Amino acid sequence: MADKGGNRRAAGQDLGASSPDRIRNVVLVGPAGSGKTTLAETLLAASGAIPRAGSVRDGTTVTDFEESEHVHGRTVSLAVAPVVHADTKINLIDTPGYADFVGELRAGLRAADCALFVIAANEGVDDATRTLWRECAAVGMPRVVVITKLDQARADYDGVLRQAQVAFGEGEGGKVVPLYVPVRSGGEVTGLTGLLAPTPEADETGLRGGLIEAVIEESEDETLMDRYLGGEAIAEDVLVADLEMAVARGSFHPVVPVCSVTGVGCAELLDLAVRGFPSPAEHPSPEVYLPSGASADPIACEPDGLLVAEVVKTTSDPYVGRLSLVRVFSGTLTADQPVHVSGHFTSFFGESVGHADHDEDEKVGALSYPFGRQQNPAERVVAGDLCAIGRLTRAETGDTLSSVGDPRVLRPWSMPEPLLPVAIVARSKADDDKLSQALSRIAAEDPSLRVENNAETHQLVLWTMGESHAEITLERLEERYGVHVDQEPFVVSMRETFAGPARGLGRHVKQSGGHGQYAVCQIEVEPLPEGAGFEFVDKVVGGAVPRQFIPSVEKGVRAQMERGCRLGHPMVDLRVTLLDGKAHAVDSSDMAFQTAGALALREAAAATTVTMLEPFDTVSVVVPDDLVGTVMSDLSARRARLLGTDKVGDDRTQVLAEVPQTELVRYSVDLRSATHGSGVYTRTFAHFEPMPEEVARTVPARE
């Protein structure tokens, strides 16, 4: 159905929720290709929100948020589609499975109260899947395992279930237990058998007892196990209540098989969402602060409480404008309501991740319930629900919306550091005029993207999460904003210094009618220890260089040091001594002696070896134990200095090393490939070191 404005409205469904206990915010998590988007559409169809899976216009899926997702056949951004089941609104939040878009995943985790962890029965549990599981565990997200693609060739439900139990249960300290098992007929999955209810079919599986014991072990009623072992039949309602608490604690992970093609398992999964998933009121809210930075009292998920909401995603369109996806954590948000907008990234993380800290008031415009790229009008949105706000110009991703009279700030969720640099240049003057504004809008909606104007290399650099992230970012520049750019080789900021002492003569003498230019200076240059900086010493005697021009010589030397004398990188750690010079009573000037000072330094550099100093980073790489050797060998090939290893958990190891930055330009991509997506690394600047001459000879000069 659609309203007169073209908005899609779920068939026969009222998308407004009256209270938090009738809301479930569920994020779909899993590796690329596991079937998350297809599952979301099947659940929408099963609930009556759409006629059938895939039944939307233009060949896109209902959870596609932007055109590039349809073109590439992959989910690259967070999208929300609500369904109503058993008088409960379930906001399905689809997230990308590609590691490049982990920023979208973390935004989805922030908006949700429970995760459906989707695994394909024909793919199993790989290292990338385990990494995604740890992402969810790190933020304390309750998880339910959904095994999909039961009808695919090579589907092995039992095998994948065992893999999940080992990887997510035994290895991570939780319980992964089937709540349903598939029923097969003629080689096809025709239905499910529920294990919680006391039925002959459940008893025949031999799995019901294990499920009940696992649920009872999580119960706060310490007498329940003795009663069960004593032969007492535990009521299903009691088991469901204990299961819900265990799921909410993140220690119990029920498994539900689903076949998206036939819809088998969808009704059971929706029932579980209503009966067993935590409501917004049962999931802890983020830390709350005052704009001053002082801690504030925790908020409660109550419609009558103090308004506290958060922008979890921002999208921009050159024609429609900005659209903000908002999670209301407390209070009720209404159309045309004044709100206080707070962004305090620097206060929490020490640096801005896209925009400066700010506190300002703004009036909320129209509210709507998101349905993929479509919007359904809303008058009020209660605590626990999600909504979209159009043209909220002062709020960006991660900002808090609260009461004007009593503002609050939520601690933003942490974002991964983008580690793949992409240097770009505008293709034309017209592109250059639009580039800055377009990048600022894209960075505002994507906190995992960092835009850097490097003052040393004079490059415009996009720091991205990987090649796919970079590709999508450049496509957004072109398709949304009509800005065309070209890539150029990324330049690492290096330093230059003298390998030994040298002398240089700077002679700048010109005569071209009127006043000429005359300046001569002789200098001696000596290298200083690392970090000593620059020293200028005046040893001129007899007024060979007039006193007023000595600072001019120093200024010229400093200017040449900034330009470098070998490959165009700044020079450091030098002592320059002015020994002698000559001046002319009429033709000498400040500019003439600046030029002479620069020429003298260049001549001194030509008389000795100029050493290139390259920056080193301290790198921490965390990988599965069986890949430590592979990672260490690769780091050694990158001229790394290995510092040691430490155990991280039961099956991972941290490798510490100091690595030249020139060897890290594409390391995020190479590490992901070598470790099948399971390796992660962080880097911090360490120091500069002399670059081996055989390597320095291969470095191109800066233009």
Side-chain angles (χ1 to χ4, degrees):
M1 297 175 62
D3 61 21
K4 293 181 179 180
N7 294 319
R8 178 176 302 279
R9 185 177 296 279
Q13 296 186 348
D14 180 6
L15 297 182
S18 58
S19 64
D21 64 319
R22 308 313 301 172
I23 299 171
R24 302 291 184 270
N25 295 310
V26 182
V27 61
L28 279 69
V29 177
S34 59
K36 298 186 301 297
T37 301
T38 303
L39 174 62
E41 287 211 330
T42 305
L43 293 173
L44 289 167
S47 70
I50 58 176
R52 64 185 184 279
S55 59
V56 291
R57 296 169 293 180
D58 305 325
T60 59
T61 66
V62 74
T63 54
D64 282 346
F65 201 86
E66 52 186 285
E67 186 63 26
S68 61
E69 303 196 24
H70 173 50
V71 172
H72 293 283
R74 61 187 177 190
T75 299
V76 299
S77 62
L78 178 154
V80 178
V83 303
V84 178
H85 182 78
D87 296 325
T88 300
K89 179 182 180 182
I90 305 172
N91 288 312
L92 298 175
I93 306 168
D94 193 16
T95 63
Y98 292 88
D100 280 16
F101 306 105
V102 67
E104 297 285 330
L105 167 64
R106 293 191 181 182
L109 294 177
R110 182 59 161 238
D113 304 301
C114 187
L116 287 184
F117 209 87
V118 184
I119 305 172
N122 62 335
E123 296 292 341
V125 180
D126 57 11
D127 289 332
T129 307
R130 291 183 176 91
T131 299
L132 287 170
W133 185 271
R134 292 188 180 105
E135 279 280 341
C136 295
V139 296
M141 178 61 65
R143 281 144 285 160
V144 172
V145 178
V146 178
I147 300 180
T148 62
K149 299 190 176 182
L150 303 177
D151 57 334
Q152 296 291 312
R154 299 183 296 106
D156 181 8
Y157 170 79
D158 295 328
V160 170
L161 172 61
R162 287 193 295 271
Q163 290 182 35
Q165 289 175 322
V166 172
F168 307 150
E170 297 173 11
E172 298 294 333
K175 295 183 176 67
V176 177
V177 184
L179 195 60
Y180 295 91
V181 294
V183 175
R184 295 179 174 87
S185 177
E188 296 183 357
V189 177
T190 58
L192 301 184
T193 294
L195 301 179
L196 206 58
T199 64
E201 293 81 5
D203 292 335
E204 287 177 6
T205 66
L207 299 173
R208 184 169 186 267
L211 170 64
I212 293 176
E213 290 183 13
V215 172
I216 291 176
E217 285 176 0
E218 297 293 326
S219 176
E220 295 181 355
D221 185 348
E222 298 179 357
T223 70
L224 208 56
M225 181 63 76
D226 292 337
R227 289 158 50 195
Y228 172 71
L229 295 177
E232 180 179 338
I234 307 301
E236 185 179 352
D237 289 345
V238 174
L239 295 174
V240 169
D242 286 336
L243 182 146
E244 179 185 359
M245 287 189 294
V247 170
R249 285 197 297 264
S251 58
F252 186 89
H253 313 293
V255 181
V256 181
V258 173
C259 183
S260 298
V261 174
T262 62
V264 168
C266 287
E268 290 84 351
L269 186 55
L270 290 171
D271 286 340
L272 176 62
V274 173
R275 301 180 65 194
F277 290 7
S279 70
E282 296 168 303
H283 191 59
S285 296
E287 298 176 35
V288 188
Y289 297 84
L290 300 175
S292 64
S295 296
D297 293 335
I299 55 175
C301 187
E302 299 174 350
D304 296 333
L306 181 71
L307 175 64
V308 180
E310 186 173 38
V311 179
V312 295
K313 179 178 175 60
T314 308
T315 58
S316 299
D317 185 278
Y319 305 105
V320 178
R322 180 175 294 180
L323 188 69
S324 302
L325 177 64
V326 173
R327 162 73 187 257
V328 182
F329 285 99
S330 173
T332 298
L333 188 63
T334 59
D336 299 323
Q337 177 180 359
V339 296
H340 183 80
V341 181
S342 293
H344 287 252
F345 291 93
T346 303
S347 302
F348 292 109
F349 302 125
E351 62 177 350
S352 174
V353 294
H355 61 293
D357 288 2
H358 61 109
D359 280 280
E360 46 202 329
D361 295 339
E362 185 169 5
K363 187 177 182 180
V364 170
L367 302 179
S368 59
Y369 295 117
F371 196 87
R373 280 188 288 177
Q374 308 298 323
Q375 306 298 322
N376 298 277
E379 290 299 321
R380 59 196 300 274
V381 181
V382 301
D385 210 349
L386 303 177
C387 68
I389 305 176
R391 305 183 186 278
L392 195 60
T393 58
R394 294 179 175 84
E396 298 181 356
T397 302
D399 283 359
T400 302
L401 310 180
S402 59
S403 169
V404 172
D406 195 2
R408 295 290 187 271
V409 179
L410 295 177
R411 180 182 179 86
W413 64 94
S414 63
M415 294 298 297
E417 181 183 1
L419 295 170
L420 178 66
V422 178
I424 61 172
V425 291
R427 190 170 296 171
S428 67
K429 178 64 168 62
D431 293 318
D432 190 50
D433 292 340
K434 298 183 292 184
L435 180 57
S436 177
Q437 184 178 24
L439 281 177
S440 66
R441 289 182 175 178
I442 291 176
E445 67 181 76
D446 183 4
S448 65
L449 174 71
R450 180 161 60 88
V451 181
E452 176 191 18
N453 278 291
N454 193 298
E456 291 187 11
T457 65
H458 307 294
Q459 283 192 312
L460 177 59
V461 181
L462 307 181
W463 287 91
T464 67
M465 298 300 301
E467 292 178 309
S468 294
H469 187 205
E471 177 187 358
I472 291 297
T473 300
L474 297 181
E475 285 184 5
R476 287 171 177 168
L477 271 176
E478 182 172 343
E479 294 171 3
R480 289 189 192 176
Y481 303 102
V483 178
H484 300 81
V485 298
D486 295 312
Q487 296 186 44
E488 63 178 6
F490 173 72
V491 178
V492 173
S493 298
M494 291 188 279
R495 300 287 186 267
E496 301 176 6
T497 194
F498 278 40
R503 290 194 175 194
L505 178 68
R507 189 172 187 274
H508 182 62
V509 178
K510 289 188 177 181
Q511 187 69 45
S512 57
H515 285 299
Q517 300 179 50
Y518 188 96
V520 178
C521 63
Q522 184 178 22
I523 63 172
E524 181 180 52
V525 185
E526 305 166 82
L528 295 176
E530 179 185 351
F534 171 69
E535 295 180 14
F536 185 82
V537 180
D538 172 21
K539 287 191 176 180
V540 174
V541 295
V545 177
R547 305 304 302 172
Q548 68 268 28
F549 295 135
I550 290 176
S552 302
V553 176
E554 179 180 355
K555 189 174 181 180
V557 168
R558 286 181 178 272
Q560 187 61 50
M561 287 179 64
E562 285 297 314
R563 294 190 292 269
C565 291
R566 179 173 178 177
L567 298 180
H569 294 273
M571 306 197 81
V572 295
D573 301 331
L574 297 179
R575 177 187 292 121
V576 175
T577 303
L578 179 59
L579 302 174
D580 200 0
K582 293 181 181 178
H584 188 278
V586 176
D587 293 339
S588 290
S589 65
D590 169 61
M591 286 304 302
F593 272 99
Q594 284 190 45
T595 303
L599 291 172
L601 184 65
R602 286 161 57 182
E603 183 175 285
T608 188
T609 299
V610 174
T611 301
M612 298 303 302
L613 302 176
E614 60 179 335
F616 273 64
D617 282 352
T618 299
V619 170
S620 167
V621 187
V622 178
V623 292
D625 292 342
D626 58 348
L627 293 174
V628 171
T630 300
V631 168
M632 294 179 71
S633 296
D634 179 70
L635 288 173
S636 296
R638 296 174 187 271
R639 300 187 289 120
R641 183 183 301 109
L642 297 172
L643 303 178
T645 61
D646 291 302
K647 286 290 295 180
V648 179
D650 295 330
D651 59 351
R652 288 177 294 164
T653 297
Q654 178 191 49
V655 180
L656 292 174
E658 289 182 346
V659 191
Q661 285 187 10
T662 54
E663 302 287 349
L664 293 173
V665 174
R666 289 186 53 82
Y667 186 59
S668 61
V669 175
D670 297 339
L671 177 65
R672 186 178 299 165
S673 175
T675 62
H676 312 292
S678 63
V680 295
Y681 92 101
T682 58
R683 55 190 283 187
T684 56
F685 173 74
H687 53 263
F688 282 90
E689 286 188 20
M691 175 180 279
E693 189 57 32
E694 63 272 17
V695 178
R697 284 194 291 267
T698 67
V699 177
R702 284 177 52 193
E703 297 182 0

